[in-house]
Amino acid sequence: MAIISFDRDTVVDYIPEYAGNRESLDPCIVRLKFVPYSRVQHYARLITAKTRGQSDSVRVAEVAHEVQKKQFVENVDSISGYYVGEMEVGTPAEFYDTADTDLVIEIVKAMESHAKLTEGQVKN
């Protein structure tokens, strides 16, 4: 059987599994791009370059979080069905800054994994 992957410029509607969201009648949907391994390596090289010569583990962690946010913002197109209080959050940066850690990690893993992205893809 052939393996068919996502084009890295195609935006995919992904429904996170987090907190039973996939079973919801009105789920949160994250429109994102698949991040191939070559691009994951690019982000890893950014971390390495920005932390070269650093011995402060706190600073290294800060840089890793900055680069992860960069990856998130560059590859998430939009979000619908995510609220902070009464206000819907639609920008990737705002979502990243307000969402639960487990939710952000699930989305990052989905954008880096063809299998996980397919599993949560909106079904027609």
Side-chain angles (χ1 to χ4, degrees), residues 53-106:
Q54 281 286 342
S55 59
D56 180 7
S57 61
V58 172
R59 179 64 188 140
V60 171
E62 287 173 351
V63 168
H65 289 292
E66 287 171 15
V67 172
Q68 183 185 52
K69 182 174 182 177
K70 176 181 175 58
Q71 175 182 341
F72 191 91
V73 170
E74 287 180 352
N75 295 291
V76 171
D77 184 64
S78 64
I79 299 100
S80 62
Y82 175 76
Y83 294 85
V84 174
E86 297 288 320
M87 195 158 125
E88 186 170 20
V89 172
T91 68
E94 205 174 3
F95 180 92
Y96 188 91
D97 289 340
T98 61
D100 185 276
T101 302
D102 291 339
L103 179 54
V104 171
I105 290 171
E106 177 187 347

Side-chain angles (χ1 to χ4, degrees), residues 5-8 10 32-36 110-114 117:
S5 190
F6 294 97
D7 181 296
R8 66 189 247 177
T10 300
L32 56 84
K33 296 177 191 170
F34 174 66
V35 179
M111 71 176 59
E112 294 178 354
S113 168
H114 175 271
L117 185 55

